Amino acid sequence: MNSFIRFVQTLDYMRMVVGICILVDGYPLIFFFRETLKLAPGSTAFTAAALAGGLVLMVPFTILRRLYRPNMTMLWLGVGFLLLSIFYMFFFNGVPGFDEYGRDTIYFAYVLIFLFLLINIPNDIIRVFVPIVVLFTLVSNLGLVYSLITDPTWAIGQRATITLNNGDEGSGNPHAFSRNAFMGVIACAIGLFRPQTNILFKLVCFFAGLLNIAVLVLTQTRSAIVALILAVILFMYFNVRPPQIRMAVRGLVKPVPIIIMVLGFIGVIFFFQRYYTIYLVLYDYVSSFMERNLENVYALLGQKAQGTDYKATLDDSAANRSVSATFLQNVVIGHMHMLVFGYGYKYTYLDVPLMESFTNQGILGLLLFGGINGMASYYAVRIMRTNPNDLSVFLAYFYLLVFVQLFTNGRPNEISFWFPLALMIRFMGVEHLFPAYLSPKPIVANQDQFVVISTAEQT
């Protein structure tokens, strides 16, 4: 009977995690159903309904009866910035004729509801979080592959994305798919490195990880590639020590890891021998990606493009950020007083979210938005060093993508920032409040791990 109850509880936790995944990483699947399967091409209502469905899946049976303590400092910083954004939207709007009040209000409401539901969700989702993320990102990647195969407008050489609303090849959003792939790589790595993971799931993580890396290459998004390089460097720095190397070597000579490596190696060799064209495609993508980024390096150094007689130039994305930096410089030099309160809600799109929070919402906007990201950076590094539990480790490495995007793309008001940040508000910096059985290492559990609203029994 106890086994059956635990099984039902596990299914319930899995339901909540699927809801979280829909909010944090749902766009690839939403685009697949909306555009590829033609359920509602170009419909923002369909997107809103799908996100609302994720919120419904997150609702625990103990809602309003048991609240779990988040990181309170990050909570106040995050809620403060959201409320400041809402205030600016209605009373200090920087866009003449702004007509997106309804849409933006709905998105802000979604973020606040998401954060509230996270505070109601039990800590025990930690034990099923990584497996669900692995499977969710795998399904999303398979949907992308199917979309590319069946899309007559997509050709090899273009960035991998799903065309939106029957538009041209530039109408998709490759960043949504690169984020999905980055999350998948992190989750698969955690699944592979955890000794308690069974062999079947390790095989799933291995092949899903390869697919995630392939999608990262196909999407050609610099922010995800840079974040992955940072993740590898930081993982090596915090985890590769002589004792860890000896432990890893001892672990690798056991039968199960040897079987996994042999099967994985044979599978990869067989796959590329049978589908050699796929290898050539990935090689061409990597080569073109490196050449394009080297062109930006040459442009910054004022040198000629490689193998040519003309001076290298920045691509459109890098050029936009250069213009944004020039804009801020001009404001600081000639109109510094405007930075006290900012120019208003969404006044200008700088493509550098941290910079935009300053220019549009002034000193307070920068302090709130920069403050919550500064705290998330601090806790991410601490978690990488201590590895307290699977969910915390996943969020620490996932934050690297958010960190890179602070300087590379997006806007500070977007839900692409705030859904992940809400998840980090709930679970970062409060690892000492989690029960010891949720950690691979013994942690002294704090009795004040949640606030009980009623007389419900504490667990």
Side-chain angles (χ1 to χ4, degrees):
M1 187 63 181
N2 290 335
S3 299
F4 176 74
I5 293 175
R6 181 176 173 82
F7 174 73
V8 173
Q9 286 179 334
T10 301
L11 291 179
D12 192 40
Y13 298 147
M14 293 170 68
R15 165 184 68 87
M16 297 180 206
V17 176
V18 170
I20 292 172
C21 288
I22 291 174
L23 272 296
V24 176
D25 183 43
Y27 277 104
L29 275 182
I30 291 172
F31 292 157
F32 173 75
F33 286 108
R34 202 182 77 180
E35 308 295 341
T36 303
L37 299 185
K38 306 297 182 184
L39 296 183
S43 173
T44 56
F46 182 88
T47 302
L51 296 178
L55 293 174
V56 171
L57 285 174
M58 287 177 59
V59 177
F61 292 112
T62 57
I63 188 169
L64 297 179
R65 289 187 290 135
R66 183 169 295 170
L67 303 179
Y68 294 78
R69 190 179 300 279
N71 187 311
M72 296 305 296
T73 305
M74 291 181 67
L75 175 66
W76 293 122
L77 288 171
V79 172
F81 184 83
L82 293 172
L83 294 179
L84 179 68
S85 298
I86 295 171
F87 176 83
Y88 266 54
M89 178 174 63
F90 286 103
F91 300 103
F92 191 15
N93 200 301
V95 181
F98 185 77
D99 59 354
E100 298 180 349
Y101 291 101
R103 190 197 68 174
D104 285 16
T105 300
I106 290 173
Y107 285 155
F108 284 130
Y110 275 22
V111 173
L112 293 172
I113 295 171
F114 179 63
L115 183 55
F116 170 73
L117 290 176
L118 285 174
I119 295 173
N120 284 267
I121 284 180
N123 297 320
D124 290 73
I125 66 165
I126 290 174
R127 58 188 176 89
V128 299
F129 189 88
V130 167
I132 294 299
V133 173
V134 169
L135 296 177
F136 190 90
T137 54
L138 175 61
V139 172
S140 300
N141 283 330
L142 293 176
L144 173 64
V145 172
Y146 175 82
S147 300
L148 298 179
I149 293 173
T150 58
D151 185 358
T153 66
W154 187 82
I156 294 174
Q158 296 175 3
R159 302 174 77 176
T161 185
I162 294 178
T163 302
L164 303 180
N165 198 22
N166 298 318
D168 57 26
E169 67 272 9
S171 65
N173 182 7
H175 291 283
F177 297 95
S178 65
R179 167 181 285 202
N180 177 78
F182 182 81
M183 291 175 60
V185 169
I186 300 303
C188 289
I190 294 173
L192 284 171
F193 283 110
R194 289 301 184 218
Q196 64 268 32
T197 305
N198 64 62
I199 183 171
L200 180 61
F201 188 66
K202 283 194 174 183
L203 287 173
V204 172
C205 289
F206 180 79
F207 289 106
L210 292 179
L211 180 58
N212 283 311
I213 293 174
V215 170
L216 272 180
V217 173
L218 293 174
T219 54
Q220 301 185 63
T221 54
R222 278 192 292 264
S223 56
I225 298 296
V226 171
L228 182 60
I229 294 173
L230 282 176
V232 172
I233 292 173
L234 289 171
F235 176 82
M236 299 289 288
Y237 177 78
F238 286 115
N239 295 279
V240 179
R241 297 287 188 276
Q244 282 79 10
I245 294 175
R246 289 193 294 269
M247 185 182 300
V249 171
R250 286 196 296 266
L252 290 175
V253 297
K254 294 180 180 179
V256 171
I258 290 176
I259 293 173
I260 292 175
M261 288 188 292
V262 170
L263 290 177
F265 181 77
I266 294 174
V268 172
I269 296 299
F270 175 78
F271 179 82
F272 281 123
Q273 284 182 341
R274 185 176 179 84
Y275 303 101
Y276 186 67
T277 304
I278 295 178
Y279 167 78
L280 295 177
V281 169
L282 293 175
Y283 178 80
D284 289 341
Y285 269 95
V286 173
S287 299
S288 62
F289 180 82
M290 293 179 64
E291 290 175 2
R292 189 172 67 252
N293 286 280
L294 283 174
E295 180 92 358
N296 287 328
V297 174
Y298 293 141
L300 290 172
L301 297 176
Q303 298 179 359
K304 293 181 179 180
Q306 188 176 17
T308 66
D309 294 327
Y310 60 85
K311 189 175 181 179
T313 58
L314 295 171
D315 62 20
D316 292 340
S317 180
N320 286 340
R321 294 183 195 102
S322 178
V323 172
S324 299
T326 302
F327 171 81
L328 180 61
Q329 181 182 6
N330 292 335
V331 172
V332 171
I333 293 174
H335 307 278
M336 185 177 291
H337 64 282
M338 292 298 299
L339 295 177
V340 176
F341 297 105
Y343 282 85
Y345 183 75
K346 289 189 174 181
Y347 171 78
T348 184
Y349 177 60
L350 298 179
D351 211 17
V352 182
L354 199 61
M355 188 187 301
E356 184 173 326
S357 68
F358 187 26
T359 58
N360 289 0
Q361 291 169 255
I363 296 174
L364 184 57
L366 177 64
L367 290 176
L368 293 173
F369 188 68
I372 188 173
N373 281 283
M375 292 196 67
S377 300
Y378 167 78
Y379 288 119
V381 171
R382 191 176 76 176
I383 289 168
M384 291 175 195
R385 186 173 62 250
T386 58
N387 298 314
N389 61 76
D390 289 351
L391 175 53
S392 296
V393 172
F394 172 83
L395 291 178
Y397 286 98
F398 177 35
Y399 179 74
L400 293 175
L401 178 59
V402 178
F403 178 79
V404 171
Q405 289 178 336
L406 289 176
F407 307 94
T408 57
N409 63 275
R411 312 194 75 161
N413 317 94
E414 290 179 348
I415 57 176
S416 60
F417 277 107
W418 284 101
F419 283 142
L421 285 175
L423 199 57
M424 293 161 193
I425 288 170
R426 168 63 177 89
F427 290 103
M428 270 189 168
V430 291
E431 297 83 11
H432 59 288
L433 303 180
F434 300 160
Y437 61 82
L438 295 176
S439 173
K441 297 179 180 180
I443 294 179
V444 178
N446 190 310
Q447 295 299 320
D448 186 25
Q449 55 184 288
F450 49 73
V451 179
V452 179
I453 303 304
S454 71
T455 56
E457 181 183 358
Q458 298 188 21
T459 57

